[in-house]
Amino acid sequence: MAHADISRFLFQPEKRYTSVRMQQGRVMLDSDWNEFERLDHELDRQTLIDILCAKGTANDGFRITQPQVVDTSADTPATYDFAIASGSFYLGGLRFEAAGSQSFLTQTDWLQLAENTPTAPVDLEGDSVRYDLVYLRGWEQCVSAVEDSELLERALGGPDTSVRVRRMGRVEILPDVAADTCAEAVARLTRQLTTDPSGETGEIIHSLDERTCELQSAARLSVTFDLDGLAEDPCRPAVSGGYLGADNQTMRIQLTAPNRFVWSYNNAAPLYRVQVDVADLTRVRFLTLPRDQEAQPLTNQTVEIIPWGAFLPNQEKVAELQGQFFRVGTSYNPVDNSLTLAAPIDQAWLDWLADNSQYWSDRDPSERQQYFYLRLWTGSGEADQPDIGFTPGTAVAIPGTGVTATFSNVGIARDFWVLALRPNTPTEVVPWSLLESAPPAGPRQYFAPLALLRWSLVNGELQPSVQDCRERFQPLCQVNGCCTVTVGDGRTSHGLFNSLEDAISFLPTDGGKICLLPGQHQTNANLRNRRNIRITGCSVHTIVQPRADRVTDPIFQIAASQNIQLD
């Protein structure tokens, strides 16, 4: 996944800021604009949750149909596929869209699905039944010009500009949930997402927010600064303490596993297209070049090799959320733009690229159509590991930075924190919450059930059935009930109209039903040449009386009309 090259991360909903205002003669920072965008986005998201609830659809979006076993080769277990109906689905206040005629196995937002395909229940016997939960996982991630080169402004002669944020939705499966209702199946998914990842204690660590459907990590990061060596004797040379860097930096700390992490300056933003030598799986050649010498990977630093994650309409590819981490064996060589890794890339990764030419871009030269992405992490791992392990509650010094990190608990792989470090304030960090205990800045992931698949044997043949788990809602323009229009009195109640005369004029020529809401309605209605109209109220709570300036005129005057009913 791409990371934005930002100066700092400031998004604090608890402060209840609603917007950002520019001031004359002031410098505009990326953090100002980004905070404005996040505030606006969060307000929209929370509003949609209040109005539509956390998950649901008004149409066939993400409806699961036609499950069927897929024939596979003899050395591959049988799997199954199903259709995903086009339409929209709202999850966590975000709108996801299933477009076209996609199926589970052909999702363009999940190119690496082959490693996660479910095994078909071809071994069922007798009266046994298997239930599989189909659910939607959604999140948002940055997309850079390295991934979508159409974003690159060629007139600038090389540098990129802004990144884009893309909404990602994947239909996933939790097999054999041993539950015959959607609610029970969701409870099992929740337990899997929130339980101690070591599997030793079975303890619920994380949480899945029922209101927002957001998975929330239990990990909290506290940052302190190494002040060892500071001289209290004024006659001794001063020794600097705190952040040791000479530059203003944005440090990213990210979990590679529940109890391991990597770190980097520049928010680990630089991303490159690279190719792996098929004859030497440790040799990596850069297709996009490091921007300067500082960005060139060095021996024992950590790099992340990332496969393709999603396919864009212009044939470009979005990077996966997380790749595989390697130590650099030999430093970047600017002569042939290559480096070597301390361990080889999995041959299966290259095989996948070669076997999926449908995702190659016609705009790339033939020799550059197959590639991976590479990210440089500034820090080195421990011993022969590309990442750093930690024990919850125990401080870990980040070498050469003066920064010490303490994690309160194990987290979720890909949890990240963004630290703004400044030389002129070496013992401070932004956001300030990191000095105490800060939750991850992201990624924010949302989960919702779509369907429960039931597999059973009927006359010796495997038969699936689908139970729809999606919550449904009606668009507001379709929420009418049996009332064609509603009328309020404009004071204690408010309908589509606050005047009975206006409501009567609105009715079509073939009539309709007018529902008077509670209140005191003043009217002198004239129904002439009308038919099939019913006017009803809310029992004693609806009072109809003449207007103050026409108290002697009829409240209802009906002439030359048919089938007019007053309740």
Side-chain angles (χ1 to χ4, degrees):
M1 180 177 75
H3 305 154
D5 185 10
I6 57 176
S7 61
R8 57 181 181 169
F9 182 88
L10 279 177
F11 175 59
Q12 300 161 309
E14 62 276 9
K15 288 184 176 180
R16 292 185 289 179
Y17 293 147
T18 59
S19 187
V20 176
R21 294 288 185 269
M22 294 180 65
Q23 300 186 90
Q24 63 176 345
R26 309 306 202 274
V27 174
M28 180 69 177
L29 301 179
D30 65 287
S31 57
D32 295 329
W33 171 261
N34 291 335
E35 185 178 0
F36 164 75
E37 186 276 333
R38 289 188 181 96
L39 291 172
D40 191 55
H41 175 74
E42 185 68 7
L43 177 60
D44 289 345
R45 197 179 70 84
Q46 293 291 345
T47 300
L48 279 175
I49 291 175
D50 289 342
I51 295 174
L52 302 179
C53 298
K55 55 186 183 296
T57 178
N59 49 57
D60 273 349
F62 288 89
R63 182 185 177 197
I64 305 304
T65 60
Q66 306 172 22
Q68 55 186 323
V69 175
V70 176
D71 293 332
T72 56
S73 59
D75 59 347
T76 304
T79 185
Y80 63 85
D81 199 6
F82 48 77
I84 303 171
S86 60
S88 60
F89 190 93
Y90 288 84
L91 173 57
L94 305 177
R95 184 181 186 274
F96 294 87
E97 185 171 358
S101 56
Q102 289 195 55
S103 72
F104 172 71
L105 295 179
T106 60
Q107 297 180 70
T108 54
D109 271 11
W110 199 3
L111 301 187
Q112 303 301 320
L113 172 61
E115 299 178 0
N116 299 275
T117 51
T119 301
V122 294
D123 56 350
L124 283 181
E125 297 180 355
D127 297 331
S128 59
V129 177
R130 192 179 101 177
Y131 292 92
D132 294 351
L133 177 65
V134 182
Y135 62 93
L136 176 64
R137 178 163 69 103
W139 71 94
E140 293 181 325
Q141 69 179 67
C142 291
V143 177
S144 70
V146 172
E147 297 158 281
D148 183 2
S149 58
E150 190 175 1
L151 300 177
L152 193 65
E153 175 51 73
R154 308 294 174 174
L156 296 179
D160 63 350
T161 55
S162 303
V163 297
R164 304 298 189 268
V165 176
R166 187 175 191 270
R167 198 157 292 168
M168 304 279 287
R170 289 180 179 173
V171 175
E172 302 183 1
I173 296 174
L174 180 63
D176 201 8
V177 292
D180 59 3
T181 67
C182 293
E184 292 178 351
V186 170
R188 283 162 174 74
L189 173 64
T190 301
R191 173 168 285 276
Q192 174 171 295
L193 294 172
T194 59
T195 301
D196 177 6
S198 69
E200 297 176 357
T201 66
E203 178 186 0
I204 299 296
I205 296 179
H206 314 299
S207 62
L208 188 63
D209 192 304
E210 291 185 3
R211 176 180 173 272
T212 64
C213 295
E214 181 178 358
L215 180 62
Q216 298 178 332
S217 174
R220 298 293 183 269
L221 175 63
S222 301
V223 172
T224 55
F225 296 92
D226 186 3
L227 301 178
D228 291 344
L230 289 177
E232 296 183 2
D233 186 346
C235 297
R236 297 179 59 188
V239 179
S240 62
Y243 168 56
L244 300 178
D247 299 326
N248 296 315
Q249 287 285 4
T250 302
M251 176 187 288
R252 186 184 186 94
I253 295 178
Q254 181 168 311
L255 300 190
T256 60
N259 61 346
R260 304 191 69 83
F261 74 94
V262 288
W263 69 274
S264 182
Y265 290 138
N266 300 313
N267 196 34
L271 191 70
Y272 310 98
R273 291 189 184 189
V274 299
Q275 289 181 321
V276 176
D277 190 332
V278 295
D280 181 0
L281 298 183
T282 65
R283 185 171 181 269
V284 175
R285 183 173 67 89
F286 283 65
L287 300 181
T288 52
L289 306 182
R291 62 187 179 189
D292 52 33
Q293 185 174 357
E294 183 180 353
Q296 297 175 1
L298 302 176
T299 300
N300 288 328
Q301 284 188 321
T302 296
V303 293
E304 180 184 3
I305 307 295
I306 313 171
W308 298 344
F311 186 64
L312 299 178
N314 63 354
Q315 299 184 326
E316 295 287 69
K317 275 73 67 175
V318 176
E320 258 291 349
L321 267 174
Q322 182 170 295
Q324 188 174 352
F325 296 87
F326 298 87
R327 286 192 309 111
V328 176
T330 59
S331 301
Y332 176 84
N333 183 349
V335 176
D336 61 2
N337 304 317
S338 70
L339 58 77
T340 60
L341 305 175
I345 295 283
D346 190 342
Q347 177 65 48
W349 284 31
L350 280 80
D351 294 341
W352 185 93
L353 282 178
D355 294 340
N356 287 273
S357 58
Q358 70 271 25
Y359 300 129
W360 299 356
S361 174
D362 296 335
R363 294 180 178 275
D364 293 330
S366 58
E367 71 276 8
R368 289 175 169 242
Q369 289 179 320
Q370 302 178 56
Y371 56 86
F372 300 104
Y373 296 108
L374 179 145
R375 169 175 292 109
L376 169 65
W377 293 88
T378 306
S380 302
E382 54 184 7
D384 293 331
Q385 299 296 321
D387 50 4
I388 303 171
F390 67 86
T391 300
T394 301
V396 178
I398 300 179
T401 67
V403 176
T404 299
T406 304
F407 297 91
S408 66
N409 210 328
V410 295
I412 301 171
R414 299 181 294 274
D415 283 349
F416 70 86
W417 292 260
V418 179
L419 294 64
L421 303 170
R422 306 294 183 254
N424 59 356
T425 53
T427 58
E428 292 184 9
V429 63
V430 173
W432 293 351
S433 57
L434 285 163
L435 295 171
E436 300 173 358
S437 180
R444 305 180 73 172
Q445 299 186 77
Y446 306 89
F447 296 82
L450 298 176
L452 190 61
L453 302 182
R454 182 182 188 272
W455 299 90
S456 61
L457 289 176
V458 178
N459 297 326
E461 294 186 2
L462 190 63
Q463 294 290 338
S465 60
V466 181
Q467 179 181 346
D468 195 346
C469 296
R470 300 170 307 145
E471 295 187 16
R472 301 295 299 272
F473 60 83
Q474 282 185 285
L476 293 178
C477 61
Q478 298 177 7
V479 181
N480 294 321
C482 59
C483 298
T484 308
V485 292
T486 57
V487 180
D489 66 358
R491 297 179 298 277
T492 60
S493 62
H494 300 271
L496 293 177
F497 298 96
N498 289 324
S499 163
L500 181 56
E501 288 95 329
D502 291 342
I504 293 172
S505 298
F506 175 79
L507 289 180
T509 56
D510 59 349
K513 183 176 180 180
I514 298 175
C515 295
L516 300 180
L517 301 177
Q520 294 186 351
H521 298 264
Q522 296 182 346
T523 185
N524 294 96
N526 185 7
L527 287 83
R528 178 175 294 274
N529 296 321
R530 302 303 302 265
R531 60 190 176 92
N532 302 328
I533 294 178
R534 180 180 179 184
I535 302 175
T536 183
C538 296
S539 186
V540 297
H541 301 291
T542 300
I543 300 173
V544 183
Q545 58 191 25
R547 297 187 181 279
D549 58 346
R550 297 179 58 187
V551 293
T552 60
D553 294 339
I555 297 176
F556 293 101
Q557 183 172 349
I558 304 171
S561 299
Q562 299 176 3
N563 194 23
I564 306 299
Q565 181 177 346
L566 306 178
D567 295 341

